[in-house]
Amino acid sequence: MAVSITPGRTALLITDPQVDFLKPESVVWDHVGETVEENNVVDNLVKLRDAAREGGIRVFYSPHYYESDEYENWTHLNSIDQIMFDTRMFDRAGSGSAFIPELEPDENTFVCAPHKQLSGFWSNDINTQLRQRGVDSIVLAGMSANLCVESHLRDAVEAGFEVLVVTDATAAAGREALKAAYTNYGFIAHETATTDEVTPRLAQKEVASADD
Amino acid sequence: MAVSITPGRTALLITDPQVDFLKPESVVWDHVGETVEENNVVDNLVKLRDAAREGGIRVFYSPHYYESDEYENWTHLNSIDQIMFDTRMFDRAGSGSAFIPELEPDENTFVCAPHKQLSGFWSNDINTQLRQRGVDSIVLAGMSANLCVESHLRDAVEAGFEVLVVTDATAAAGREALKAAYTNYGFIAHETATTDEVTPRLAQKEVASADD
Amino acid sequence: MAVSITPGRTALLITDPQVDFLKPESVVWDHVGETVEENNVVDNLVKLRDAAREGGIRVFYSPHYYESDEYENWTHLNSIDQIMFDTRMFDRAGSGSAFIPELEPDENTFVCAPHKQLSGFWSNDINTQLRQRGVDSIVLAGMSANLCVESHLRDAVEAGFEVLVVTDATAAAGREALKAAYTNYGFIAHETATTDEVTPRLAQKEVASADD
Amino acid sequence: MAVSITPGRTALLITDPQVDFLKPESVVWDHVGETVEENNVVDNLVKLRDAAREGGIRVFYSPHYYESDEYENWTHLNSIDQIMFDTRMFDRAGSGSAFIPELEPDENTFVCAPHKQLSGFWSNDINTQLRQRGVDSIVLAGMSANLCVESHLRDAVEAGFEVLVVTDATAAAGREALKAAYTNYGFIAHETATTDEVTPRLAQKEVASADD
């Protein structure tokens, strides 16, 4: 089904728009750099952000940070936690956790508390912030495709939101991981679309007429 | 990391052990039959269930049902909901929602309320039942690999459980979907193992010595 | 603020409309009988149910059941669990867990899975059922005032719903408990009202004009 | 039942140890000052914090903040939200949201993200932080008794933790509100105790022998 994109009822939600996913100085650039560049993720996120602002659609960031206390004291690390902790990815005290300059929050951006593990619906205020503003549909993009984006997608659907995932405004730790995400979006999202397809709808320049 | 499998602290959790996923009379057998048969999912689930009973590990089912009222009145169907609703998959009034005979609940099985959409952590009592019994690690299997199994995995990890996924006691709607699940398990599970690797550990016949 | 009561967007949610709270054969009637009778809870719940049906407002039940397996195996009983388990309150195998005859589910009623402990938002499908029908406001009533009703209230508010609590369609285990609930509703609900105030609004017979 | 207080498995959780609840310059001191002073809440929280540090029990804060964007854009204010928003209570840009000097976080304190509305289990990382450190029991104190403390209590119980509430390390907006909280703790907590009763147990100076 086509997701309705309407000011006041739709949010653009971007996960992890941070140096450690989107810039060559990322601690995991060897893993994510290839698909970040192929998909032009930074350019596409900027396009989405600009279109949302133009159309009166609020932008929400669900960022990813860890503190020294967490690196030292967490006890149930799964595989991806182990990688992030070994590399001190998203270290709040370091430069890798910063928002990339192109996506510095502006007056149209609300920055949620950091999510922990993969989904803000389990560990930050994203659900509260969206519901308290009357939002019931989400345009979802960011990093990484099969981990934080997909977990936010799955939980948003369970929480009752309609979700459109922007397939070329995301990337992953390798082609297999990206492909896995695309496969799963096909089952779980209400709609998938490219950046160029969704920007006019965010900007309120054309009425959505697509059937999914 | 290797997940500790211990009576009183570990549960075997099986999602959707029902006709509509595991038997040729399933309404979606054209999609799932191939990998269900290749992986010998029914045989493997039976082996896991038997080993758990032998080892004093409780078994929990998180089943999937829909009622007529839901088919008629839900308004936010994503792609997989739409397929399930079009085929009336898991119709509680029909035969497809029954447990398969090989996996009829026995005295070691606790059957949770039906989960809705993909995860019981959002819609049934699985979290309560596990925590109220002192469980903190889960051996996870069932159907389907990239949908209900993976959503239960993701949520169990967020809720603080350690999770081992049994890779050949699951299957999916096509090889791509199964491969997507395997890719994501590699990031999100604490451990993955085959049925033959995990059954002695469930049966308490050998001490886990594997490093993940 | 006055809660908008609108067909398609509002639900009447009744917790625990069961013998073990509302009838003299209840295992805890010594505790709850006095305020159940003073408030005419049964009559008021029937009035609300009838008005909702007349006005095209769907009714949802969030019932309370326990199984033998739970009575025998749960390990973290708080004070109220201990009382319920000692008395085998809400035993699914017994007569106390039945819906009272006056409130047998009808064609306008959707019965959720049983909630465990105090809130369906943690252990059944109430959030899914409401969101999947486009509901964003709740008229809340049932038993008991400071336990299941109040926990459903607190969680519904956190989940983003607007909630009106019907103050004389509930009762509690003693006057102190009922008073505690009333005090807390005054802080946490969006609106409180009596049965007679809310029935015309449920029946769509008058436009809500009240300021809270 | 008596809650086990054990280093590595127990946390001291303090909600809202901030100026806007605990100091005369609070924007709601007219409402909360009386019972804050009667209960010596600040002294008692300091005693608990010190005892926990001595006993090797980690301390977690679940604080309360609002941003201008929230004051301006939230749409579903319940009664207590309305009061907080009217008074700009917990304004992150103001002095009322600061931790009181006596309870400045130290090396034994982990400060969670701010909770929104009443419970961190719905809107911050408290559940993740506790589970990731192997915590399964909580000593709970802070402000205010019938709102944030009680909502954290209710949710912690649903999430499977054992909870002891410290009855004189909390206060409320008036005697009725405090009494309501005490009534509800009696049903919902696993144990209640005073500061003087619980500090030796936190400090690991005596083995808990009390039956609840």
Side-chain angles (χ1 to χ4, degrees):
Chain A
M1 59 179 280
V3 171
S4 169
I5 300 180
T6 311
R9 297 194 57 176
T10 304
L12 172 61
L13 171 56
I14 300 179
T15 60
D16 301 9
Q18 295 164 262
V19 169
D20 264 342
F21 262 141
L22 294 173
K23 289 290 181 180
E25 51 267 45
S26 159
V27 293
V28 295
W29 193 247
D30 284 353
H31 300 285
V32 301
E34 189 177 48
T35 59
V36 167
E37 291 183 339
E38 280 180 3
N39 275 355
N40 290 314
V41 174
V42 173
D43 287 352
N44 286 336
L45 289 173
V46 169
K47 283 184 194 174
L48 293 169
R49 189 267 319 265
D50 290 349
R53 187 170 51 199
E54 185 180 352
I57 303 287
R58 289 296 304 270
V59 179
F60 295 79
Y61 287 177
S62 181
H64 207 150
Y65 293 106
Y66 293 110
E67 316 272 352
S68 292
D69 193 294
E70 296 168 304
Y71 291 126
E72 291 157 17
N73 292 308
W74 278 21
T75 58
H76 302 132
L77 302 185
N78 64 355
S79 302
I80 182 60
D81 286 340
Q82 193 64 59
I83 291 169
M84 291 192 288
F85 277 43
D86 287 346
T87 60
R88 291 187 80 93
M89 194 173 175
F90 297 126
D91 186 348
R92 193 193 278 262
S95 55
S97 63
F99 294 121
I100 63 170
E102 296 90 332
L103 291 167
E104 264 305 302
D106 63 20
E107 73 288 353
N108 193 44
T109 313
F110 187 88
V111 180
C112 291
H115 67 82
K116 302 291 164 179
Q117 302 181 316
L118 302 182
S119 173
F121 287 85
W122 279 90
S123 56
N124 75 11
D125 52 328
I126 183 64
N127 191 65
T128 304
Q129 298 297 348
L130 296 178
R131 290 293 182 194
Q132 275 289 4
R133 286 169 178 84
V135 170
D136 53 22
S137 68
I138 296 171
V139 175
L140 179 62
M143 292 291 292
S144 70
N146 65 317
L147 298 175
C148 297
V149 174
E150 189 174 330
S151 279
H152 281 76
L153 164 63
R154 287 176 187 255
D155 287 341
V157 169
E158 299 277 357
F161 294 91
E162 295 183 16
V163 188
L164 181 160
V165 185
V166 189
T167 50
D168 59 353
T170 188
R175 293 179 192 287
E176 286 303 317
L178 184 57
K179 191 173 177 187
Y182 288 164
T183 297
N184 288 345
Y185 297 165
F187 287 95
I188 301 169
H190 292 82
E191 185 184 358
T192 56
T194 64
T195 299
D196 287 345
E197 288 167 344
V198 81
T199 47
R201 290 162 63 187
L202 281 169
Q204 304 296 302
K205 284 190 174 164
E206 76 179 43
V207 174
S209 61
D211 289 1
D212 192 36
Chain B
M1 58 179 281
V3 171
S4 169
I5 299 179
T6 310
R9 298 194 57 175
T10 304
L12 172 62
L13 171 56
I14 300 180
T15 59
D16 301 8
Q18 295 164 263
V19 169
D20 263 342
F21 262 141
L22 293 173
K23 290 289 181 181
E25 52 266 45
S26 158
V27 294
V28 295
W29 193 247
D30 284 353
H31 300 287
V32 301
E34 188 178 47
T35 58
V36 167
E37 290 183 340
E38 280 181 4
N39 275 355
N40 291 313
V41 175
V42 173
D43 288 351
N44 286 337
L45 289 173
V46 169
K47 284 183 193 175
L48 293 170
R49 188 266 321 266
D50 290 349
R53 188 170 49 198
E54 184 180 353
I57 304 286
R58 289 297 304 269
V59 179
F60 294 79
Y61 287 177
S62 180
H64 207 149
Y65 294 107
Y66 292 111
E67 316 272 353
S68 292
D69 193 293
E70 296 169 303
Y71 291 126
E72 290 158 17
N73 291 307
W74 278 21
T75 59
H76 302 133
L77 302 184
N78 64 356
S79 301
I80 182 61
D81 286 340
Q82 192 65 59
I83 291 168
M84 291 191 289
F85 277 42
D86 287 345
T87 59
R88 292 186 79 94
M89 193 174 176
F90 297 127
D91 186 347
R92 194 193 277 263
S95 56
S97 65
F99 293 121
I100 62 171
E102 296 90 334
L103 291 167
E104 264 305 302
D106 63 19
E107 73 288 353
N108 193 43
T109 312
F110 187 88
V111 180
C112 292
H115 66 82
K116 302 292 164 176
Q117 301 183 316
L118 302 181
S119 173
F121 287 85
W122 279 90
S123 56
N124 74 12
D125 52 329
I126 182 64
N127 191 65
T128 304
Q129 298 297 348
L130 296 178
R131 291 294 183 194
Q132 276 290 4
R133 287 169 176 83
V135 170
D136 54 22
S137 67
I138 295 169
V139 175
L140 179 62
M143 293 291 292
S144 72
N146 65 318
L147 297 175
C148 297
V149 174
E150 189 174 331
S151 279
H152 281 76
L153 164 64
R154 287 177 186 255
D155 287 341
V157 169
E158 300 277 355
F161 294 91
E162 295 183 16
V163 188
L164 182 159
V165 184
V166 189
T167 50
D168 59 353
T170 187
R175 293 180 191 287
E176 287 301 318
L178 184 57
K179 191 173 177 187
Y182 288 164
T183 297
N184 287 345
Y185 298 165
F187 288 95
I188 301 169
H190 292 83
E191 184 184 358
T192 56
T194 63
T195 299
D196 287 344
E197 288 167 343
V198 81
T199 46
R201 290 162 64 187
L202 281 168
Q204 305 295 304
K205 285 193 174 161
E206 75 179 42
V207 175
S209 62
D211 290 1
D212 193 37
Chain C
M1 57 179 282
V3 172
S4 169
I5 300 180
T6 311
R9 297 194 58 176
T10 304
L12 172 62
L13 171 57
I14 300 179
T15 60
D16 301 7
Q18 295 163 263
V19 169
D20 263 343
F21 262 142
L22 294 173
K23 289 290 180 180
E25 52 266 45
S26 160
V27 293
V28 296
W29 192 247
D30 284 353
H31 301 286
V32 301
E34 186 177 51
T35 58
V36 167
E37 290 183 340
E38 281 180 2
N39 275 354
N40 290 314
V41 175
V42 173
D43 287 352
N44 286 336
L45 289 174
V46 169
K47 284 184 194 174
L48 292 170
R49 189 266 320 266
D50 290 349
R53 189 170 47 198
E54 184 179 354
I57 303 286
R58 288 297 303 269
V59 179
F60 294 79
Y61 287 177
S62 180
H64 207 150
Y65 294 107
Y66 293 110
E67 316 272 353
S68 292
D69 193 293
E70 297 168 303
Y71 291 126
E72 290 158 17
N73 292 306
W74 277 21
T75 59
H76 301 133
L77 302 184
N78 63 356
S79 302
I80 183 60
D81 286 339
Q82 192 64 59
I83 292 168
M84 291 192 288
F85 278 42
D86 287 345
T87 59
R88 290 187 82 92
M89 193 174 177
F90 298 127
D91 186 347
R92 194 193 277 264
S95 55
S97 64
F99 294 121
I100 62 170
E102 296 90 332
L103 291 167
E104 264 307 300
D106 63 18
E107 72 290 351
N108 192 44
T109 312
F110 186 88
V111 180
C112 292
H115 66 82
K116 302 291 162 176
Q117 302 181 314
L118 302 181
S119 172
F121 287 85
W122 279 90
S123 57
N124 75 12
D125 51 327
I126 183 63
N127 191 65
T128 304
Q129 299 298 348
L130 296 179
R131 290 295 183 193
Q132 276 290 3
R133 287 170 176 81
V135 170
D136 53 21
S137 68
I138 295 170
V139 175
L140 179 62
M143 293 291 292
S144 70
N146 65 319
L147 297 175
C148 297
V149 174
E150 188 174 331
S151 278
H152 282 76
L153 165 64
R154 288 177 186 255
D155 287 340
V157 169
E158 299 276 357
F161 294 91
E162 295 183 16
V163 188
L164 181 160
V165 184
V166 189
T167 49
D168 59 354
T170 188
R175 292 179 192 288
E176 286 302 318
L178 184 58
K179 191 173 178 187
Y182 289 164
T183 297
N184 288 346
Y185 298 164
F187 289 96
I188 300 169
H190 292 82
E191 185 183 357
T192 56
T194 63
T195 298
D196 287 345
E197 288 167 345
V198 80
T199 47
R201 291 163 63 188
L202 281 168
Q204 305 295 304
K205 285 192 175 161
E206 75 179 41
V207 175
S209 61
D211 288 2
D212 192 37
Chain D
M1 58 179 281
V3 171
S4 169
I5 299 181
T6 311
R9 297 193 57 176
T10 304
L12 172 62
L13 171 57
I14 300 179
T15 60
D16 302 8
Q18 295 164 261
V19 169
D20 264 342
F21 262 140
L22 294 173
K23 290 291 181 181
E25 52 266 45
S26 159
V27 294
V28 295
W29 192 247
D30 284 353
H31 301 286
V32 300
E34 188 178 48
T35 58
V36 167
E37 290 183 340
E38 281 180 3
N39 275 355
N40 290 313
V41 175
V42 173
D43 287 352
N44 286 337
L45 289 174
V46 169
K47 284 184 193 174
L48 293 170
R49 189 267 319 266
D50 290 349
R53 188 170 50 199
E54 184 180 352
I57 303 287
R58 290 296 305 270
V59 179
F60 294 79
Y61 287 178
S62 180
H64 207 149
Y65 293 108
Y66 293 110
E67 316 272 352
S68 293
D69 193 293
E70 295 168 305
Y71 292 126
E72 291 158 16
N73 292 307
W74 278 21
T75 58
H76 302 133
L77 302 184
N78 63 355
S79 302
I80 183 59
D81 286 340
Q82 192 64 59
I83 291 168
M84 292 192 288
F85 277 43
D86 286 346
T87 60
R88 290 187 81 92
M89 193 173 177
F90 298 127
D91 186 347
R92 193 193 277 264
S95 56
S97 64
F99 294 120
I100 63 170
E102 296 89 335
L103 290 168
E104 262 308 298
D106 62 19
E107 72 289 352
N108 192 44
T109 314
F110 187 88
V111 181
C112 292
H115 67 82
K116 302 291 163 177
Q117 302 182 314
L118 302 181
S119 172
F121 287 84
W122 279 90
S123 57
N124 75 12
D125 51 328
I126 183 63
N127 191 65
T128 305
Q129 298 297 347
L130 296 178
R131 290 293 182 194
Q132 275 289 1
R133 286 170 177 83
V135 170
D136 53 22
S137 68
I138 296 170
V139 175
L140 179 61
M143 293 291 292
S144 70
N146 65 319
L147 297 174
C148 297
V149 174
E150 188 174 331
S151 279
H152 281 76
L153 165 63
R154 288 177 186 255
D155 287 340
V157 170
E158 300 276 356
F161 294 91
E162 295 182 16
V163 189
L164 181 160
V165 184
V166 189
T167 49
D168 59 354
T170 188
R175 292 179 192 288
E176 287 301 319
L178 184 57
K179 190 172 178 188
Y182 289 164
T183 298
N184 288 345
Y185 298 165
F187 288 96
I188 302 169
H190 293 83
E191 185 184 357
T192 56
T194 64
T195 299
D196 287 345
E197 288 167 343
V198 81
T199 47
R201 290 162 63 187
L202 281 169
Q204 305 296 304
K205 285 192 174 161
E206 76 178 43
V207 175
S209 60
D211 288 3
D212 194 36

